[in-house]
Amino acid sequence: MKLGARMMKTGLAVAVALYVSSLLGFVSPLLAAIAAAFSIQPSIYRSYQSIIEQIQGNTIGALIAVVAVFTLGNDPFIVAFAIIIVIGFTTNLKMNENTISLAVVAVIALMDSTDLTFIHFAASRFSSMLLGILAAFIVNLVFLPPRYETRLFKKIDLATTDILQWLRVTTRQLSDQPALKYEIQRIQDEIRWIDHTFLLYSEERTYWKGKRFSKGRKLVLFRHLITTTKKSFDVLKAFYRLEYKIEQIPYEFQDVLVGELDKLINAHEKLVLSLKGRIKQTHKQSLRTIEEPDIPLLVERLTNIFEESGDSDKFAFLPLASQLMEYYYQLEKLKRLLKSYQTHHQEDYIKTSDK
């Protein structure tokens, strides 16, 4: 079992909430722990949003609970009615599920019977929950702050490497079909995680005015890096679907097809290596030219082959040719964005590793 940062943060937040609430003599330290567990978020920005929303949700829950107890009592059916009202209010305000769940917990906790006077009892439990929310926010802010820039690039780099390796193997008819089918599904899941990580990275706030412009450029560069990776994945899926048809065409055409694709694969690898700082900035030749695949010649040869054979599937490869051209255009745009970023932000490197 791998212990992630969020798991450790949740445990630490619960411990801090229990310790501080016991130290302050709160009646219900357990409620502080529950609130802390519900309030941990994957990013500092989301943690800030969560603390505001959790306070609002708990305040709504507490007010409804107090009104219900003073007007109707705390019979189990009254508690159920109050919970329904709270869920209705918080859902109308489009609060997230954690906030709604914690607001429900607040209602149940405040409407529970006790020997203390109700106001004192409600204030104590409400304070415990606020303490838990605050503990979670502080732990998220101080302990192991997430580095989404590094994490995002590593995920993109790994997915791109896998895709390009499979493209080389597949175009040479060396791939195992069941293995490739599994890898396509796995890479699809990886791309979903890349999109999720990019969302978290884009939500991170830059507090230094001088770095806001640089962060904006990084977001544009990362967004297009992801788009290019997805386009290479589309090409891989196209080759996977047409693998049996490719085997039936002459070897001369297969060699031409492999040669045109290799131009794009090599360019993609150079761009990623440049981002990782493994190509010298002074070596401009590495990023100067990306060879354009000769798609019209490719289509013409393919059409001639199928016309000679009389096969009705002569246009089956046209979508693949279109995918190759789109892949080329995306690489060209990525090259321009990377060159522009490296020219204007030489001191603000993209963090590609934890070092």
Side-chain angles (χ1 to χ4, degrees), residues 166 170 175-182 239-241 243-244:
W166 275 108
T170 303
S175 62
D176 177 69
Q177 279 289 86
L180 179 55
K181 182 179 180 180
Y182 169 78
F239 271 100
Y240 169 71
R241 289 191 296 268
E243 184 170 6
Y244 292 116

Side-chain angles (χ1 to χ4, degrees), residues 145-171:
R147 297 177 179 178
Y148 286 115
E149 184 175 313
T150 303
R151 191 182 302 178
L152 177 60
F153 182 82
K154 283 183 175 180
K155 287 180 182 292
I156 296 171
D157 185 29
L158 182 61
T160 302
T161 301
D162 287 342
I163 292 168
L164 298 186
Q165 285 178 350
W166 275 108
L167 274 173
R168 283 198 171 98
V169 171
T170 303
T171 52

Side-chain angles (χ1 to χ4, degrees), residues 44-253:
I44 294 173
Y45 176 69
R46 288 196 179 185
S47 186
Y48 170 74
Q49 284 185 317
S50 175
I51 191 173
I52 301 300
E53 195 173 278
Q54 295 280 22
I55 290 173
Q56 291 174 343
N58 276 275
T59 303
I60 290 171
L63 289 174
I64 291 175
V66 170
V67 171
V69 169
F70 277 116
T71 57
L72 302 172
N74 60 352
D75 182 82
F77 287 103
I78 303 302
V79 175
F81 176 71
I83 289 173
I84 292 170
I85 298 298
V86 167
I87 293 174
F89 263 104
T90 51
T91 303
N92 250 354
L93 293 172
K94 297 181 180 180
M95 294 183 174
N96 64 47
E97 291 182 4
N98 279 354
T99 302
I100 295 172
S101 299
L102 197 55
V104 169
V105 170
V107 172
I108 297 170
L110 268 62
M111 295 185 73
D112 188 22
S113 59
T114 177
D115 294 334
L116 297 174
T117 60
F118 178 71
I119 293 298
H120 181 206
F121 167 78
S124 175
R125 291 204 163 183
F126 183 67
S127 300
S128 294
M129 299 191 80
L130 292 182
L131 174 64
I133 295 169
L134 185 61
F137 176 73
I138 292 173
V139 167
N140 216 34
L141 186 66
V142 176
F143 183 70
L144 292 176
R147 297 177 179 178
Y148 286 115
E149 184 175 313
T150 303
R151 191 182 302 178
L152 177 60
F153 182 82
K154 283 183 175 180
K155 287 180 182 292
I156 296 171
D157 185 29
L158 182 61
T160 302
T161 301
D162 287 342
I163 292 168
L164 298 186
Q165 285 178 350
W166 275 108
L167 274 173
R168 283 198 171 98
V169 171
T170 303
T171 52
R172 290 162 175 81
Q173 284 84 51
L174 298 174
S175 62
D176 177 69
Q177 279 289 86
L180 179 55
K181 182 179 180 180
Y182 169 78
E183 284 297 303
I184 285 176
Q185 293 173 346
R186 184 188 63 80
I187 293 170
Q188 187 72 59
D189 292 336
E190 285 294 320
I191 289 175
R192 290 194 193 98
W193 274 108
I194 287 171
D195 287 335
H196 178 66
T197 306
F198 177 77
L199 177 63
L200 294 173
Y201 175 59
S202 65
E203 289 177 348
E204 285 185 336
R205 292 297 180 263
T206 303
Y207 301 102
W208 300 102
K209 187 177 180 181
K211 291 195 173 183
R212 287 178 188 170
F213 185 60
S214 171
K215 174 66 182 292
R217 277 181 169 266
K218 281 184 181 180
L219 284 172
V220 173
L221 184 59
F222 270 117
R223 187 184 296 115
H224 202 75
L225 189 60
I226 294 169
T227 301
T228 308
T229 299
K230 289 179 178 178
K231 187 53 64 179
S232 66
F233 185 53
D234 289 339
V235 173
L236 175 61
K237 289 188 290 185
F239 271 100
Y240 169 71
R241 289 191 296 268
L242 296 170
E243 184 170 6
Y244 292 116
K245 291 183 180 295
I246 293 174
E247 292 175 354
Q248 297 170 8
I249 61 179
Y251 289 113
E252 295 81 7
F253 179 78

